[in-house]
């Protein structure tokens, strides 16, 4: 049995529900080996971003370059990229690969944390538009991110569909626009590609904490692509996985010193 390899290029979330940590756990779930290129370190808990430190651009570049040189990387997923300089380094390394042997590239254009805190420098949006999005095999914006890319506020499924077809047309790559933020009875995501748009629907799960669901979803798509699935099957499988992850999200066991002592 050979193990497929995927790479995540994303930020570190100290609460480990989003970012690199969510990506690695998701890759492991699907028995895909995950390589990591850490772009920044975020001190945070769900709902509160305390501080962000970007990693030196040369070190980000080396993590990506070494991974590509050493492993048969079959899929790449990008999350929080933080700055235009990091995006440029990533694009340089990706474009260096021969076109025919480039891995699938899933771009999750992370811009704002679910707490509302900005995570991406404003100039980085231009770098996304000019260099990274045209290289993607799939871009997975939520409603706010699709709104930032179209320059409009999106508030309905009709707005989502108009934005999705506009973005897929403009960048010439497939877009999966996620409608979970519409908070309907169902969570509808729509894939805009070369053919007719395809809808992916799951029951909307009411949960207080959805921190990291976007990261988990795009990592699951990348894992499925690394396993050789086509795009619609990969998205379908990933959507089922993330819906279950939200439904079964964890409650914490409180520290129990008395219990620990009894064991001793
Ligand atoms: O969920 C978006 C996200 C992505 N990546 C990192 C994050 C967050 C959200 O807080 O910290 C590193």
């Amino acid at each position: 049995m050979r193990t497929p390899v995927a790479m995540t290029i994303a930020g570190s979330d100290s609460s480990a529900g989003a970012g690199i940590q969510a990506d690695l756990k998701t890759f492991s779930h699907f028995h895909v080996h995950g390589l990591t290129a850490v772009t920044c370190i975020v001190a945070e808990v769900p709902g509160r971003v305390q501080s962000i430190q970007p990693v030196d651009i040369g070190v980000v570049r080396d993590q990506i370059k070494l991974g590509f040189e050493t492993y048969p990387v079959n899929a790449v997923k990008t999350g929080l990229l933080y700055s235009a300089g990091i995006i440029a380094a990533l694009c340089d390394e990706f474009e260096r690969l021969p076109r025919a042997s480039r891995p699938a590239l899933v771009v999750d254009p992370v811009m704002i944390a679910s707490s509302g805190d900005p995570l991406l420098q404003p100039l980085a949006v231009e770098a996304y538009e000019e260099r990274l999005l045209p290289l993607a095999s799939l871009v997975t914006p939520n409603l706010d991110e699709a709104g930032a890319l179209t320059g409009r506020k999106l508030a309905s499924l009709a707005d989502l569909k108009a934005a999705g077809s506009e973005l897929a047309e403009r960048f010439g790559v497939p877009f999966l626009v996620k409608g979970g933020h519409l908070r309907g009875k169902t969570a509808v995501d729509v894939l805009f590609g070369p053919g007719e748009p395809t809808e992916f629907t799951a029951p909307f799960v009411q949960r207080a904490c959805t921190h990291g669901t976007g990261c988990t979803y795009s990592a699951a798509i990348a894992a499925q692509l690394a396993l050789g699935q086509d795009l619609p099957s990969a998205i379908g499988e990933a959507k089922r996985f993330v819906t279950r992850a939200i439904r079964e999200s964890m409650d914490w066991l409180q520290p129990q010193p008395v219990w620990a002592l009894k064991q001793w």
Side-chain angles (χ1 to χ4, degrees), residues 10-15 17-21 23 39-49 52 77 79-81 108 110-115 117 119 145 210-215:
S12 164
D13 163 14
S14 57
S15 67
I20 285 270
Q21 289 85 351
D23 296 343
T39 57
C40 52
I41 298 169
V42 187
E44 65 176 321
V45 289
R48 176 166 162 218
V49 174
I52 306 184
K77 173 242 147 115
L80 176 54
L81 296 175
D108 185 13
V110 176
M111 296 179 185
I112 307 162
S114 27
S115 56
D117 292 280
L119 293 169
E145 292 153 353
T210 50
H211 176 77
T213 42
C215 306

Side-chain angles (χ1 to χ4, degrees), residues 15-163:
S15 67
I20 285 270
Q21 289 85 351
D23 296 343
L24 271 186
K25 291 181 212 181
T26 303
F27 290 166
S28 292
H29 173 87
F30 290 109
H31 304 286
V32 169
H33 179 65
L35 308 176
T36 58
V38 182
T39 57
C40 52
I41 298 169
V42 187
E44 65 176 321
V45 289
R48 176 166 162 218
V49 174
Q50 185 75 23
S51 49
I52 306 184
Q53 175 161 69
V55 170
D56 176 85
I57 292 172
V59 179
V60 176
R61 183 190 294 276
D62 285 347
Q63 295 174 79
I64 299 168
K65 191 162 181 280
L66 276 176
F68 284 158
E69 282 170 4
T70 312
Y71 296 87
V73 180
N74 209 17
V76 173
K77 173 242 147 115
T78 69
L80 176 54
L81 296 175
Y82 188 75
S83 69
I86 289 178
I87 294 170
L90 152 61
C91 292
D92 290 346
E93 293 312 314
F94 195 80
E95 285 168 350
R96 221 189 284 283
L97 303 171
R99 209 173 271 275
S101 62
R102 286 182 191 166
L105 175 60
V106 180
V107 175
D108 185 13
V110 176
M111 296 179 185
I112 307 162
S114 27
S115 56
D117 292 280
L119 293 169
L120 189 71
Q121 294 189 331
L123 273 181
V125 178
E126 278 170 40
Y128 262 106
E129 293 175 335
E130 281 166 21
R131 290 201 60 192
L132 186 57
L133 298 185
L135 292 172
S137 315
L138 179 69
V139 188
T140 64
N142 61 27
L143 213 56
D144 295 335
E145 292 153 353
L149 292 169
T150 53
R152 296 196 296 272
K153 188 154 173 45
L154 309 176
S156 66
L157 189 58
D159 291 352
L160 180 157
K161 288 182 176 173

